[in-house]
Amino acid sequence: MTARWVGRLPAEVTSFVGRRRALGQVRRLLSAGRLVTLTGPGGVGKTRLARRVAAEVRRAFPDGVWLVELAELREGDLLAYEVAAMFGLKDASADPAASLADYLRDKNLLLLLDNCEHLIQPVVALVNELLTSAPALRVLTTSRQVLGSEGEHLFEVPPLSLPEADPLGRLGPGRPTSEAVDLFLDRAAAVVPELPEGPEFQRSVSDLCLRLDGIPLAIELAAARMRAYPVEEILARVEHALDVLTTGPRSAPARHRALKATIGWSFGLCSPEEQLMWARLSVFAGGFDLNAAEGVCTDARLPRTQVFDLLASLVDKSILHRESGSARFSLLETVREYGREHLVALGEEKEFLLRHAQHFAALADRGRSDYFSEREIRWFQEVGLNHANIRLAMQFFLSEGGEPRIALRIAASLRMYWSKPSVIMEGYQWLRKALDSSPEPSEERADALWACAYLEVLLTDVERAARTMGECRALAGKLALHRVEAALTLCPILADFVLGDVAAALGHAKEAVACGRKVDDPTVTGEALFFAAAMAFASGDSGAERLADEALTFLEAEHSQLWRANALWINGVVRCRADDRDAATAHFLDAIGLFRQLGHDVGLALALDGLAWVAARSGELSRAARLLGAADPIWRTGPRRMMPFEFSEFAVKGKVEAIVRAGISEAAFEAAVQDGSTRPLDDVLGEVTGRPRHGSEPRGAAREDPPTALSPRERKVADLLAKGSSNQDIATELVLSRRTVESHVQHILTKLGFHSRTQVASWVSRMESADRPRA
């Protein structure tokens, strides 16, 4: 005879889709702790996940799994009565919590309390009393806000997984599968006898799920609309999702019959200050940090001093999501739309859109001081994190803001950010839009014209770049903008190379160096010095090594981070051609360290191509092909014809391929390239830099050489390396030539079996710790 299952847990009416990983994680939390809370915004699937977990673990609880639904309970004083009644305890005890605790004292069961967010304090008080009295009891709760109870284990329920897209948001070919898509198709099949099967239908479903952030409730409401509308029409209208998705199953609670009602439930649980903060935060896109929230959202009604606590409170209520491992916050799109509606109702939308746009215009404008300085890395990182916010600011100033000159200034300030393959076309389009919207002569227009010409030559559109340069030159002359005239001399260097005249490019680079020095602009001078070294290398000029060394020395002195990384790279290829492979490797690895911090993907691709050349010259032919493959996805994130790619193809990649193809079969070459291109980039970079992954030691890092492994001079150099000193700084400190320091650095790396300065710094730290007397 089959044992009768004990408890109260409604059977599932519809199929449960996905969530395999989440199910396992919650089960593990339940085995480790006695109180587990599933948190997340309305409609994300907390209740469904909790019920499925409860169903899966019920065999572990001889006294059953018991569900108490609290959504309709408004009075916290009635909570213990409600739970007691569910167990059939009908007595009118003056202390129902004590009676309940006594009943559960010897029970081994799971209590599931669903929708606790509006009864936080009563729930915490009751749960604490029950857990104290009943040692075998376990409690699983769902809440849009953490309970804050002692011993509480938290699990933030994520949206369903979404179809994968490339960095530009484009979905790949074939049927994009994901939990969100599977749920939509499952629910749509229940209302439509035969679903379309073509690629356009699949693409529309995927786009719809992306638009709805993978929120199960939103997806189910959208799927229900398939009864009346094709998915393409639902997708077209989903921009107004909160107004369109208004109906749901009549058997569902009233608050689940509309997405707006679901989110409104959370809104009603917020204090007036929290509601106002939520509304104002809706002007952000793609996330924000505390500084941005304070800068945009505060005024007399919402003082800056309240923001810190309000953000924390909104996180606890699952309105905001704090991004893992960072101090950034984000709103799900549907939650953001609800806040925007409230902002409009308050009559504050235009004001806070303007404040948002001004805040991120100021971030872009910081590039005029932070670019080409020791603050450069942080600035590039902030720009990258706030790409979506900067995009909104540009849109605002080009439309309702009516300030196209500010848009010009933003776009021009981001010239080097736009130079990455993944965003170059977007940056170019913003520059063109801003230029079209502000045709009047101005310094902002001159800056934007020169930035636009620079991107055009990077995109190898030399003819258009020539026209843009001509217009820029005329305007700069008319306004006596000598700085812009000097900067413009960088563009012909790249244009000459694209046209195949490398000797002319070298000549123009030397002229640009002179122009930069004439107007005392270190930015122009430093960039021109790098280009002079690169063109000397490409043309086989005997002065390439001297120019590369001069560029690195200058850029280190100016504390430029991006162009110092570029100079490290050109020094690497110069030394690789001279067959000084150890020095070349050291330069490439130092460059990778900087490029990673800067988020500069094209630099990473160039450095990987450089390391492939070192591997090829060392006879490691398969490794060389894998490194070429690792760089290839970066090149493919943007237009194939880009000047940096053309340069590497001409000066580096072509040489690597020739060496490798001559030594291994075509099939082996293609297989190795494919292997490299499919590996995660972080794995590749971790391997080549010797950075530990998942707690493992990199090759060459386990050697614990004593300090005597280095000469006294080398130990001094190592100590300075550990402090972050550049080669030039070390040369000045120790009164040595820069070339001598470079040689010492390479000897240190070789003796210790390391590949990067970071490893040297870690080794010095270990040695210092070992030398300290123990207490």
Side-chain angles (χ1 to χ4, degrees):
M1 178 182 292
T2 303
R4 181 178 178 274
W5 176 66
V6 179
R8 194 184 81 168
L9 189 67
E12 295 178 339
V13 178
T14 57
S15 58
F16 187 87
V17 178
R19 300 288 198 191
R20 183 174 301 174
R21 181 181 179 188
L23 286 167
Q25 290 173 316
V26 177
R27 285 199 303 268
R28 285 192 290 274
L29 287 175
L30 265 178
S31 66
R34 299 181 59 208
L35 172 61
V36 176
T37 299
L38 307 188
T39 67
V44 81
K46 299 182 298 298
T47 295
R48 194 66 190 272
L49 178 61
R51 292 186 183 192
R52 171 51 69 103
V53 169
E56 290 187 353
V57 302
R58 64 188 184 186
R59 293 183 183 278
F61 297 96
D63 294 311
V65 174
W66 301 81
L67 168 66
V68 184
E69 300 179 63
L70 303 179
E72 305 302 327
L73 183 66
R74 292 297 166 185
E75 298 298 324
D77 293 339
L78 299 178
L79 174 63
Y81 287 104
E82 183 80 4
V83 178
M86 186 266 301
F87 284 112
L89 305 178
K90 304 291 187 180
D91 62 85
S93 168
D95 190 352
S99 298
L100 186 58
D102 185 65
Y103 172 78
L104 295 175
R105 192 175 307 280
D106 60 350
K107 299 292 191 296
N108 183 355
L109 61 79
L110 174 65
L111 176 62
L112 171 51
L113 301 177
D114 193 23
N115 297 300
C116 301
E117 54 272 359
H118 59 303
L119 299 170
I120 294 294
Q121 293 306 318
V123 167
V124 169
L126 178 62
V127 166
N128 285 344
E129 183 169 351
L130 297 182
L131 289 175
T132 301
S133 303
L137 173 68
R138 273 175 165 67
V139 179
L140 177 62
T141 70
T142 73
S143 176
R144 300 182 192 186
Q145 182 175 353
V146 298
L147 302 185
S149 178
E150 183 178 358
E152 180 183 25
H153 288 61
L154 296 174
F155 181 80
E156 184 174 1
V157 179
L160 296 173
S161 67
L162 294 166
E164 291 187 2
D166 65 19
L168 298 179
R170 298 172 300 206
L171 292 164
R175 181 183 183 273
T177 59
S178 69
E179 292 175 337
V181 169
D182 290 344
L183 177 65
F184 182 93
L185 295 177
D186 181 87
R187 299 303 189 256
V191 298
V192 178
E194 292 185 10
L195 293 174
E197 296 181 353
E200 290 303 317
F201 171 75
Q202 297 291 345
R203 183 62 53 85
S204 295
V205 170
S206 297
D207 287 342
L208 180 60
C209 291
L210 286 166
R211 176 63 181 79
L212 294 175
D213 283 320
I215 298 176
L217 177 59
I219 291 170
E220 294 197 11
L221 291 170
R225 286 288 186 177
M226 285 286 291
R227 185 184 295 109
Y229 301 102
V231 68
E232 292 81 4
E233 189 164 345
I234 298 172
L235 176 60
R237 297 185 179 213
V238 84
E239 292 299 329
H240 306 290
L242 295 175
D243 293 323
V244 176
L245 305 179
T246 55
T247 60
R250 293 186 180 181
S251 60
R255 63 190 176 84
H256 272 189
R257 292 186 186 170
L259 184 58
K260 183 180 289 188
T262 304
I263 302 173
W265 173 261
S266 288
F267 190 80
L269 296 173
C270 292
S271 68
E273 293 79 14
E274 290 168 342
Q275 291 176 350
L276 187 58
M277 192 71 187
W278 178 352
R280 292 178 178 181
L281 290 173
S282 72
V283 299
F284 290 100
F288 57 90
D289 58 17
L290 173 63
N291 177 63
E294 289 175 336
V296 173
C297 299
T298 57
D299 59 9
R301 292 178 61 197
L302 202 62
R304 180 179 289 260
T305 54
Q306 292 186 16
V307 173
F308 184 89
D309 289 335
L310 284 172
L311 292 181
S313 180
L314 289 173
V315 169
D316 284 346
K317 287 182 168 65
S318 300
I319 307 305
L320 285 181
H321 172 68
R322 188 175 71 82
E323 297 174 14
S324 178
S326 76
R328 287 183 64 80
F329 306 87
S330 60
L331 291 157
L332 289 174
E333 183 62 24
T334 42
V335 174
R336 177 174 173 254
E337 283 186 10
Y338 192 95
R340 179 63 64 85
E341 286 191 350
H342 188 59
L343 192 67
V344 171
L346 293 171
E348 295 185 348
E349 183 185 33
K350 182 71 176 289
E351 175 188 350
F352 284 92
L353 284 174
L354 173 60
R355 294 182 63 171
H356 171 276
Q358 289 172 332
H359 180 86
F360 290 102
L363 171 61
D365 211 45
R366 265 179 39 207
R368 296 174 181 268
S369 58
D370 290 4
Y371 172 61
F372 218 81
S373 78
E374 66 277 2
R375 300 179 301 279
E376 190 174 72
I377 290 176
R378 180 59 186 156
W379 178 72
F380 270 113
Q381 290 172 342
E382 286 190 51
V383 169
L385 289 170
N386 288 291
H387 183 109
N389 284 309
I390 289 171
R391 181 186 291 152
L392 277 186
M394 291 282 294
Q395 290 172 338
F396 179 83
F397 287 122
L398 288 173
S399 54
E400 60 262 43
E403 293 284 355
R405 282 179 63 171
I406 299 179
L408 278 174
R409 191 175 176 92
I410 294 173
S413 297
L414 299 176
R415 171 182 63 100
M416 288 310 302
Y417 174 74
W418 299 132
S419 69
K420 301 187 294 183
S422 56
V423 296
I424 189 169
M425 288 308 302
E426 180 181 348
Y428 179 61
Q429 290 167 3
W430 281 124
L431 280 162
R432 277 292 162 200
K433 282 183 181 179
L435 285 166
D436 290 344
S437 298
S438 184
E440 303 82 10
S442 66
E443 183 174 355
E444 291 87 354
R445 182 172 177 83
D447 280 332
L449 283 167
W450 118 250
C452 192
Y454 185 85
L455 295 189
E456 284 169 343
V457 288
L458 285 183
L459 290 166
T460 70
D461 190 350
V462 176
E463 290 185 9
R464 186 157 193 176
R467 294 194 294 271
T468 307
M469 283 188 276
E471 184 181 353
C472 181
R473 193 175 294 111
L475 181 57
K478 177 179 179 180
L479 300 178
L481 299 173
H482 304 304
R483 170 187 57 81
V484 176
E485 290 175 321
L488 197 60
T489 61
L490 296 169
C491 294
I493 307 168
L494 309 181
D496 288 336
F497 178 82
V498 171
L499 294 172
D501 194 344
V502 185
L506 176 57
H508 275 124
K510 291 178 177 178
E511 291 173 13
V513 172
C515 287
R517 286 173 171 156
K518 182 178 180 181
V519 299
D520 193 25
D521 189 329
T523 302
V524 175
T525 306
E527 292 186 29
L529 280 168
F530 164 76
F531 286 130
M535 296 309 157
F537 171 81
S539 63
D541 189 279
S542 60
E545 186 172 347
R546 175 186 57 79
L547 286 168
D549 188 72
E550 182 182 358
L552 185 55
T553 301
F554 179 87
L555 292 162
E556 285 182 340
E558 292 292 333
H559 303 289
S560 169
Q561 307 301 310
L562 173 59
W563 289 94
R564 177 175 164 242
N566 284 329
L568 285 165
W569 172 77
I570 195 61
N571 272 271
V573 295
V574 166
R575 281 156 178 75
C576 188
R577 184 167 66 182
D579 209 29
D580 188 352
R581 283 168 274 163
D582 287 341
T585 298
H587 281 108
F588 290 139
L589 293 177
D590 282 348
I592 284 174
L594 284 171
F595 284 134
R596 290 182 83 177
Q597 292 181 73
L598 290 158
H600 204 73
D601 47 9
V602 69
L604 292 173
L606 288 168
L608 288 170
D609 287 347
L611 288 171
W613 195 13
V614 172
R617 300 204 67 162
S618 302
E620 301 176 72
L621 303 184
S622 293
R623 181 170 185 267
R626 286 195 299 273
L627 288 168
L628 287 180
D632 193 55
I634 299 175
W635 294 122
R636 286 191 278 107
T637 58
R640 188 65 172 177
R641 280 187 59 81
M642 275 189 68
M643 189 272 174
F645 176 81
E646 298 283 326
F647 188 94
S648 189
E649 186 81 20
F650 170 80
V652 179
K653 287 171 65 73
K655 294 179 172 59
V656 179
E657 288 196 19
I659 296 171
V660 176
R661 289 178 187 275
I664 62 176
S665 69
E666 183 67 20
F669 174 78
E670 294 296 339
V673 169
Q674 176 68 15
D675 180 45
S677 67
T678 55
R679 289 188 62 196
L681 182 60
D682 276 347
D683 286 0
V684 175
L685 296 177
E687 179 183 300
V688 299
T689 59
R691 180 180 54 114
R693 185 171 182 269
H694 301 311
S696 61
E697 284 293 320
R699 285 175 290 177
R703 188 189 303 177
E704 293 290 344
D705 298 280
T708 53
L710 303 181
S711 70
R713 175 72 75 185
E714 288 167 347
R715 182 56 195 265
K716 288 182 180 179
V717 172
D719 290 342
L720 291 169
L721 285 175
K723 295 177 181 177
S725 300
S726 67
N727 286 353
Q728 186 58 52
D729 293 337
I730 297 171
T732 302
E733 176 78 16
L734 300 181
V735 195
L736 299 171
S737 71
R738 192 171 174 282
R739 185 59 54 83
T740 299
V741 171
E742 203 171 81
S743 177
H744 280 316
V745 170
Q746 189 53 52
H747 289 157
I748 291 167
L749 293 171
T750 301
K751 285 184 176 182
L752 299 180
F754 295 156
H755 301 289
S756 71
R757 293 168 181 247
T758 303
Q759 289 175 292
V760 175
S762 177
W763 177 84
V764 169
S765 177
R766 292 200 304 272
M767 292 304 103
E768 290 176 346
S769 296
D771 289 342
R772 292 191 196 107
R774 296 175 183 251

